[in-house]
Amino acid sequence: MSHPHPELGPPPPLAKQTLRVVPLGGLGEIGRNMTVFEYGGKLLIVDCGVLFPEEEQPGVDLILPDFDYIRGRLDDVVAIVLTHGHEDHIGAVPFLLRERADIPLVGSRLTLAFISAKLGEHRIKPEVVQVAEGERRSFGAFDLEFFSVNHSIPDALAVGIRTPAGSLLHTGDFKMDQLPLDGRLTDLAGFARFGAEGVDLLLSDSTNAEVPGFVTSERDIAGVIDNVFDKADKRIILACFASHIHRVQQVLDSAEAHGRKVAFVGRSMVRNMNIARDLGYLTIPAGLLVDVKELEDLRPEQVLLVCTGSQGEPMAALSRMANRDHQIRIERGDTVVLASSLIPGNENAVNRNINGLTRWGANVVHKGNALVHVSGHSSAGELMYVLNMVKPRNFMPVHGEWRHLRAHAKLAALTGVPEQGIVIAEDGVVVDLHKGKARIVGAVPAGYVYVDGTSVGDVTESALKDRRILGDEGFISVVIAVDSQSGKLVGEPQIHTRGSGIDVEAYDEVIPKIQDSLEKAAADGITDPSQLRQLVRRNLGRWVNDTYRRRPMIVPVVVEV
Amino acid sequence: MSHPHPELGPPPPLAKQTLRVVPLGGLGEIGRNMTVFEYGGKLLIVDCGVLFPEEEQPGVDLILPDFDYIRGRLDDVVAIVLTHGHEDHIGAVPFLLRERADIPLVGSRLTLAFISAKLGEHRIKPEVVQVAEGERRSFGAFDLEFFSVNHSIPDALAVGIRTPAGSLLHTGDFKMDQLPLDGRLTDLAGFARFGAEGVDLLLSDSTNAEVPGFVTSERDIAGVIDNVFDKADKRIILACFASHIHRVQQVLDSAEAHGRKVAFVGRSMVRNMNIARDLGYLTIPAGLLVDVKELEDLRPEQVLLVCTGSQGEPMAALSRMANRDHQIRIERGDTVVLASSLIPGNENAVNRNINGLTRWGANVVHKGNALVHVSGHSSAGELMYVLNMVKPRNFMPVHGEWRHLRAHAKLAALTGVPEQGIVIAEDGVVVDLHKGKARIVGAVPAGYVYVDGTSVGDVTESALKDRRILGDEGFISVVIAVDSQSGKLVGEPQIHTRGSGIDVEAYDEVIPKIQDSLEKAAADGITDPSQLRQLVRRNLGRWVNDTYRRRPMIVPVVVEV
């Protein structure tokens, strides 16, 4: 990602009585949320999440924040606060704990259960500090207070941070459902109280800052789901996020009311629902749950499958059903419900699934044709409530792409935050809070760190650039053997190509040209392999471009024999 | 694309008194619309368009219908009817005319102007037959009648086709703006008259069949555009489709009323607006138009740029502005308007542009935050009007993905088309109309034909599969030289890699293993290059997978010296 503040140099050493804010992820993108707060030589981290790659990052599994800024100072980290259990807030923790395993993880009961399960897969047993809304807890000079917030996963928290250099409030992700299923409201009264005390800097979730108005209650989905169950006379297959416990609860309730048995499908769905049930966040009536194998003994109208794949993830259960590559075979009349958001970037994949399912005869219900999803993030209407309650001296929109950050900044200005107190930063931009004033003081590296397979950071921008060329055009490799003494060509150049779409026979036209130029080079006494490679690349490249108007990668190899 | 009717064999020879319908594109996808009608040994083609590739077709420029079905019978083609001038209806014509240049092209004045300009670039001068709404014209046994339809390009037509074996109506793309800017309504009365005469088969545009209700009038955009002009105090940069002449007209009118000069930016925008003006479809007040170079002499509030790039096409003007790669540099306070639809599949690219523009300080107005676009395709409400007016004996939804075709089929059933008369076909599925009954009788090849650079069809599914692997994982090539006499390895294996993200040094670990296994093979008398390659591939592949959990393409090359 290029930098919006190209003029910014490294930040100065941290001055006394100054609180430094260093966003390492989530500003300028939706994902890999991570912010570092510094005071008096100590660091507090809030969230440490992953970003999922787009088509611009081919072959990449995950994108992490760049830990470089804190790498030399891991011993100064007093804690990582995890606001909630979503991947874009906790997913990078295992990678950071590889570098120092005993950094305390601070979070709510469910959040800690989710991160502990994940760390277990990485064979890491973390130090955890369980907290709840209303509690205060100090880590060095950082005095933390936790506020309940309402989100698309239970047990989410906002965190207030008091330091000798000033106070700030970080909302995490939140919405403000006024009738939440678990009765746990976003603690607007707490925000107001903290605001009255004086909040120097508010960092607030910008995801839906462009969306006017208010988010409907999660409760409003129940009627729609019931309606789907009323109408369906074959199987119901419902896909949603594996962490949306309240959504699943509503679906289970409907299933029970309609006499359907339920099977969970998909590893993360099964794991998370087990955790949620064990901790009491999900109530499953006795006898409701069955194993997938038991479904065969049931009539279609007695079946509900709850599965993953609502985002069109190619390996998830629903996508495999759409492609007839799953033990569950879609039959004519089945009802498929996509009870989730459509994360930007996944439109094509989800559309392919809808078409695939439709083709096999399923009726597909999705947020485009029914209210089967409400967002987990506050819209502009709710964001203004928070701004008006907290009345921060300074404001920094977080969690969003540029369009969202700017929209949120406008809302802040409209609600009366002074213009000079509104700081639109992006990843890596360092903001210092000193005597009640926030200002940008420099920038640190905050590029994408790619996880591909087991390795972190091996795949660089340059490898991705190569992948993009290879993916668009393929490659042609030319192997020439030259006599190490005379520099003369031995035998014919061998051509291998994949993905170029240019037939093997076609090269008969160009091979003599390559041979000619190599012979001339030998006659001129040119034997340097890199010059010979250059010669081959130029000859072949020109021919391909002139003949086909294409630019495959050309890989000349000189073997000295 | 896999086939939905895997059981279908080739169709039987065409029976007497039978009209055959062979959709070669546009059924199961949005794009490359092309339908072949056969009667009495003659062929009539309606539309011949291109499909734009998605990320599943990396490096592909265009996707054409497969002409294989008609290739041996080009002399039997009596005409190609072009319903309107959009690329997905005319874009493949140059490729078909390469195979027989004198097939008559039948269309309205503007449509023929657009296709002639395009063919001029391919150095083809077509035979054209200009028609207008209300006219009838016979081509062999095909008696054609043309009806005006309203769409997002002027001068669009539907076509009624009467043959001794039955009558059908093909709507082309259409909407039903009741207050069209050019006063040219979709001829619903004509449809009704034709319906009263008896329509055996209706083929109708399914693009928006899932969208309930009615499409707002194009006229409603004017007020919104005026509002944008009222508010903007710096430059306005408006991007829309280069063929949306009515949209551009509204924008020019606003510009004139607000004292702004206009420059067109982008090759297709300049070319199409010239054609439209020359033919009287676009009215440009004297003195309004300026050259881009003259803009420097104007104040920002006197400038309107109308450009291409509303879909995030990487080489288009607007995308280059968003990336600071265009002579027009976005300045703080500029207003950018995306006055177009967002074609599914382009979400990421458009989103990147919006973020880029926003980052440089532009205010971006788009259909997500203002009514700056209305669709060119009828919604369910209007589609039902057509079904109820035509009252066809049989119905075949066209122009749509599976989800759209099924939704349109449901509307047909609701309006009373008998279930057995509703035929959901997809590309290549052959439908015969005989004695008032339509039925599926077989299937013909209708796969994607890829244009990449100058070549058509060279890039196959297998090359694309290679590209996907290369694009995701890169490749590792291993060149080994063996003595052609002894089969023994000469020197060390050479490793070249691009895009794999695995460092050159890392291979020190595996090269000895490869050498070992080659030496063992030589000792066992194995000299066959394909066996040696297999050996290298297996050794290296296993090592990469075990060490990195990745699967780059492995390309072993054996050079015999």
Side-chain angles (χ1 to χ4, degrees):
Chain A
M1 215 174 45
S2 66
H3 210 280
H5 299 284
E7 73 282 11
L8 291 175
L14 186 56
K16 282 197 176 159
Q17 284 299 309
T18 303
L19 175 61
R20 176 161 286 180
V21 184
V22 186
L24 291 181
L27 277 72
E29 74 229 330
I30 304 261
R32 65 163 197 162
N33 296 290
M34 178 171 185
T35 312
V36 180
F37 298 94
E38 283 184 75
Y39 176 80
K42 296 292 177 186
L43 310 179
L44 175 80
I45 296 171
V46 174
D47 289 329
C48 186
V50 292
L51 173 67
F52 294 100
E54 290 187 5
E55 75 266 26
E56 294 291 290
Q57 289 101 21
V60 170
D61 299 325
L62 293 173
I63 302 171
L64 307 182
D66 186 348
F67 300 145
D68 206 47
Y69 178 65
I70 54 169
R71 189 158 278 130
R73 305 163 64 192
L74 288 173
D75 288 337
D76 296 329
V77 178
V78 295
I80 304 173
V81 174
L82 301 172
T83 57
H84 61 280
H86 279 152
E87 286 299 311
D88 57 334
H89 291 256
I90 68 169
V93 169
F95 300 93
L96 185 55
L97 293 200
R98 276 190 199 173
E99 309 197 14
R100 185 192 143 199
D102 64 348
I103 305 176
L105 303 183
V106 182
S108 67
R109 186 152 163 260
L110 184 67
T111 305
L112 292 179
F114 275 12
I115 186 63
S116 298
K118 173 177 279 290
L119 288 165
E121 290 171 6
H122 289 256
R123 298 205 183 81
I124 300 174
K125 199 169 154 40
E127 303 272 332
V128 299
V129 181
Q130 187 177 313
V131 294
E133 51 267 33
E135 290 185 15
R136 282 178 79 153
R137 193 76 67 120
S138 286
F139 294 87
F142 299 95
D143 175 16
L144 310 187
E145 177 172 357
F146 300 94
F147 302 90
S148 63
V149 293
N150 182 250
H151 187 39
S152 44
I153 185 170
D155 229 8
L157 294 170
V159 58
I161 306 176
R162 293 176 178 90
T163 75
S167 294
L168 56 85
L169 175 64
H170 192 310
T171 64
D173 286 354
F174 76 105
K175 63 172 170 174
M176 298 215 288
D177 196 334
Q178 294 303 299
L179 295 169
L181 286 166
D182 59 1
R184 191 172 171 275
L185 290 157
T186 290
D187 184 10
L188 201 56
F191 289 178
R193 179 179 44 72
F194 194 37
E197 187 187 300
V199 168
D200 296 296
L201 178 64
L202 170 68
L203 300 96
S204 178
D205 175 9
S206 310
T207 310
N208 274 349
E210 286 189 312
V211 181
F214 294 80
V215 180
T216 314
S217 173
E218 176 72 25
R219 211 172 276 262
D220 293 349
I221 293 177
V224 181
I225 298 278
D226 268 336
N227 195 9
V228 168
F229 276 79
D230 284 345
K231 278 198 204 158
D233 51 8
K234 295 281 172 64
R235 289 182 304 184
I236 298 177
I237 297 158
L238 183 137
C240 72
F241 288 113
S243 58
H244 206 321
I245 292 158
H246 291 154
R247 186 77 39 90
V248 172
Q249 182 71 64
Q250 299 205 89
V251 174
L252 298 188
D253 293 349
S254 257
E256 202 193 15
H258 288 80
R260 288 183 188 250
K261 301 284 182 189
V262 180
F264 291 121
V265 182
R267 200 171 60 96
S268 57
M269 185 63 79
V270 172
R271 185 194 60 195
N272 288 359
M273 293 309 140
N274 274 334
I275 293 174
R277 179 172 59 174
D278 291 350
L279 298 181
Y281 292 91
L282 183 73
T283 309
I284 306 182
L288 187 71
L289 215 57
V290 296
D291 193 89
V292 176
K293 285 175 213 125
E294 300 173 62
L295 295 178
E296 286 163 23
D297 304 331
L298 297 169
R299 293 193 308 277
E301 69 271 23
Q302 295 177 312
V303 170
L304 166 68
L305 289 149
V306 176
C307 66
T308 53
S310 65
Q311 299 304 308
E313 309 91 322
M315 299 311 294
L318 192 70
S319 309
R320 287 165 51 214
M321 291 180 207
N323 289 326
R324 278 276 150 114
D325 179 30
H326 194 278
Q327 52 167 322
I328 309 286
R329 286 173 72 83
I330 298 292
E331 307 284 349
R332 182 163 299 274
D334 283 346
T335 299
V336 176
V337 186
L338 305 181
S340 69
S341 64
L342 205 182
I343 294 178
N346 297 341
E347 293 88 353
N348 287 355
V350 171
N351 189 43
R352 272 195 293 274
N353 274 359
I354 293 177
N355 276 311
L357 297 162
T358 307
R359 178 187 219 159
W360 301 118
N363 302 310
V364 184
V365 180
H366 51 86
K367 77 184 194 97
N369 57 22
L371 184 72
V372 288
H373 172 71
V374 299
S375 175
H377 300 270
S378 290
S379 295
E382 288 127 346
L383 295 176
M384 289 191 286
Y385 271 78
V386 171
L387 283 158
N388 281 325
M389 290 299 231
V390 177
K391 292 202 175 304
R393 291 195 184 91
N394 300 277
F395 174 69
M396 196 171 150
V398 297
H399 302 177
E401 302 172 0
W402 264 92
R403 53 191 296 182
H404 311 120
L405 302 180
R406 272 214 201 278
H408 205 175
K410 276 186 196 163
L411 297 177
L414 286 170
T415 58
V417 180
E419 287 281 356
Q420 69 274 21
I422 300 175
V423 181
I424 307 187
E426 68 177 336
D427 295 342
V429 170
V430 177
V431 176
D432 275 2
L433 182 68
H434 180 71
K435 294 193 176 166
K437 290 207 164 66
R439 60 190 190 92
I440 291 173
V441 296
V444 302
Y448 287 170
V449 173
Y450 300 112
V451 179
D452 186 356
T454 54
S455 75
V456 179
D458 284 358
V459 173
T460 58
E461 286 298 340
S462 129
L464 289 187
K465 197 179 157 196
D466 283 345
R467 286 184 183 177
R468 282 179 218 124
I469 296 171
L470 289 166
D472 276 357
E473 306 268 6
F475 73 88
I476 305 174
S477 119
V478 187
V479 180
I480 56 172
V482 294
D483 187 286
S484 56
Q485 306 296 318
S486 66
K488 277 196 182 158
L489 190 63
V490 179
E492 273 211 345
Q494 269 200 43
I495 292 198
H496 295 260
T497 180
R498 298 294 286 271
S500 73
I502 301 172
D503 263 359
V504 176
E505 297 91 54
Y507 300 99
D508 292 348
E509 194 182 312
V510 68
I511 286 176
K513 290 184 197 174
I514 296 173
Q515 280 174 313
D516 267 8
S517 69
L518 288 172
E519 276 161 23
K520 268 184 212 143
D524 292 348
I526 297 172
T527 55
D528 172 32
S530 85
Q531 280 181 284
L532 298 178
R533 281 198 296 270
Q534 189 56 33
L535 209 58
V536 172
R537 187 179 290 121
R538 209 164 38 215
N539 270 282
L540 185 57
R542 195 178 297 149
W543 173 78
V544 174
N545 187 41
D546 290 352
T547 318
Y548 299 94
R549 296 273 162 233
R550 290 187 222 153
R551 301 184 164 280
M553 186 180 282
I554 291 171
V555 186
V557 177
V558 176
V559 182
E560 291 180 276
V561 290
Chain B
M1 215 173 46
S2 64
H3 212 281
H5 299 282
E7 73 281 13
L8 290 176
L14 185 57
K16 282 200 177 157
Q17 283 299 311
T18 304
L19 175 60
R20 176 161 286 180
V21 184
V22 186
L24 291 181
L27 277 72
E29 73 229 331
I30 304 262
R32 66 163 197 161
N33 296 290
M34 179 172 185
T35 313
V36 180
F37 298 95
E38 284 184 76
Y39 176 80
K42 296 293 177 186
L43 310 179
L44 175 80
I45 297 171
V46 174
D47 290 329
C48 185
V50 293
L51 173 68
F52 294 99
E54 290 188 4
E55 76 266 25
E56 293 291 290
Q57 291 99 23
V60 169
D61 299 324
L62 293 172
I63 301 172
L64 307 181
D66 186 348
F67 299 145
D68 206 48
Y69 178 65
I70 54 169
R71 189 158 277 132
R73 307 164 63 194
L74 288 173
D75 288 337
D76 296 329
V77 178
V78 294
I80 305 174
V81 174
L82 301 171
T83 57
H84 62 280
H86 279 152
E87 287 298 311
D88 56 335
H89 291 255
I90 67 169
V93 169
F95 299 93
L96 185 55
L97 293 200
R98 275 190 201 174
E99 307 198 15
R100 184 191 144 200
D102 64 347
I103 306 175
L105 303 183
V106 182
S108 68
R109 187 152 161 260
L110 184 68
T111 305
L112 292 179
F114 275 12
I115 186 63
S116 298
K118 175 179 279 291
L119 288 166
E121 290 170 6
H122 288 256
R123 299 206 181 80
I124 299 175
K125 197 167 156 42
E127 303 272 332
V128 298
V129 180
Q130 187 177 312
V131 295
E133 50 268 34
E135 291 185 16
R136 282 179 78 153
R137 193 76 66 118
S138 285
F139 294 87
F142 299 96
D143 175 16
L144 310 187
E145 177 172 357
F146 299 94
F147 302 90
S148 63
V149 293
N150 183 249
H151 187 40
S152 46
I153 186 170
D155 229 7
L157 294 170
V159 58
I161 305 175
R162 293 176 178 89
T163 74
S167 293
L168 57 85
L169 176 63
H170 191 310
T171 64
D173 285 355
F174 76 103
K175 64 173 170 174
M176 297 215 289
D177 195 333
Q178 294 303 298
L179 296 169
L181 286 166
D182 59 1
R184 191 172 173 275
L185 290 157
T186 290
D187 185 10
L188 201 56
F191 288 180
R193 180 179 44 72
F194 194 37
E197 188 186 300
V199 167
D200 295 297
L201 178 65
L202 171 67
L203 300 97
S204 180
D205 174 12
S206 311
T207 311
N208 273 349
E210 285 187 313
V211 181
F214 294 81
V215 179
T216 313
S217 174
E218 176 71 25
R219 211 172 276 263
D220 293 350
I221 293 177
V224 181
I225 298 278
D226 268 336
N227 194 10
V228 169
F229 276 79
D230 285 345
K231 278 198 204 158
D233 52 7
K234 295 281 174 63
R235 290 182 303 185
I236 299 177
I237 297 157
L238 183 138
C240 71
F241 287 115
S243 58
H244 205 322
I245 293 159
H246 291 154
R247 186 76 42 89
V248 172
Q249 183 71 65
Q250 300 205 90
V251 174
L252 298 188
D253 294 348
S254 256
E256 202 194 14
H258 289 81
R260 288 184 187 249
K261 302 285 182 189
V262 181
F264 290 121
V265 181
R267 202 171 59 96
S268 57
M269 185 62 79
V270 172
R271 185 193 60 193
N272 287 0
M273 292 309 140
N274 275 333
I275 293 173
R277 180 172 58 173
D278 292 348
L279 299 182
Y281 292 92
L282 183 73
T283 308
I284 307 183
L288 187 72
L289 215 58
V290 296
D291 193 88
V292 176
K293 285 174 213 127
E294 299 173 63
L295 295 178
E296 286 164 22
D297 303 330
L298 297 169
R299 293 193 307 277
E301 68 272 22
Q302 296 177 312
V303 171
L304 166 68
L305 290 149
V306 176
C307 66
T308 53
S310 65
Q311 299 305 309
E313 309 90 323
M315 299 310 295
L318 192 70
S319 309
R320 287 164 49 213
M321 292 179 207
N323 289 326
R324 277 277 150 115
D325 179 29
H326 195 278
Q327 51 167 324
I328 310 286
R329 285 173 74 84
I330 297 293
E331 307 284 349
R332 182 164 300 274
D334 284 345
T335 300
V336 176
V337 186
L338 305 180
S340 67
S341 64
L342 206 182
I343 295 178
N346 297 341
E347 292 88 352
N348 287 356
V350 171
N351 189 43
R352 272 194 294 273
N353 275 0
I354 293 177
N355 277 312
L357 296 162
T358 307
R359 178 188 218 161
W360 302 117
N363 302 310
V364 184
V365 180
H366 52 86
K367 77 184 194 99
N369 58 22
L371 183 71
V372 289
H373 172 72
V374 298
S375 175
H377 301 270
S378 291
S379 295
E382 288 127 348
L383 295 175
M384 289 191 287
Y385 272 79
V386 171
L387 284 157
N388 281 324
M389 290 299 232
V390 178
K391 294 203 175 302
R393 292 195 185 91
N394 300 277
F395 175 69
M396 193 169 151
V398 296
H399 302 179
E401 301 171 1
W402 264 93
R403 52 192 295 184
H404 311 119
L405 302 180
R406 272 214 200 277
H408 205 175
K410 275 187 196 163
L411 296 177
L414 287 169
T415 58
V417 181
E419 287 281 356
Q420 68 275 21
I422 300 174
V423 182
I424 307 188
E426 69 176 335
D427 295 343
V429 170
V430 178
V431 177
D432 276 2
L433 182 67
H434 180 69
K435 295 192 175 168
K437 290 206 164 66
R439 60 191 191 93
I440 291 172
V441 297
V444 302
Y448 286 169
V449 173
Y450 300 111
V451 179
D452 186 355
T454 55
S455 73
V456 178
D458 285 359
V459 173
T460 57
E461 287 297 340
S462 128
L464 289 187
K465 196 178 159 198
D466 282 346
R467 286 184 183 177
R468 283 179 218 122
I469 296 170
L470 288 167
D472 275 357
E473 305 268 6
F475 73 88
I476 305 174
S477 119
V478 187
V479 180
I480 56 172
V482 294
D483 187 287
S484 56
Q485 304 297 318
S486 65
K488 277 193 182 159
L489 192 62
V490 180
E492 273 212 345
Q494 269 199 45
I495 292 199
H496 295 260
T497 179
R498 299 293 286 272
S500 73
I502 300 172
D503 264 357
V504 176
E505 298 90 56
Y507 301 98
D508 291 350
E509 194 182 313
V510 69
I511 285 176
K513 290 183 197 172
I514 295 174
Q515 280 174 312
D516 267 7
S517 69
L518 288 171
E519 276 161 22
K520 269 184 210 141
D524 292 348
I526 297 172
T527 56
D528 173 30
S530 85
Q531 280 181 284
L532 298 179
R533 282 198 295 269
Q534 189 55 34
L535 209 59
V536 171
R537 186 179 289 120
R538 208 163 40 216
N539 269 284
L540 185 56
R542 194 178 296 147
W543 173 78
V544 174
N545 187 41
D546 290 352
T547 318
Y548 299 93
R549 295 275 162 230
R550 291 189 221 153
R551 300 185 165 279
M553 184 180 282
I554 290 172
V555 186
V557 177
V558 176
V559 182
E560 291 180 277
V561 291

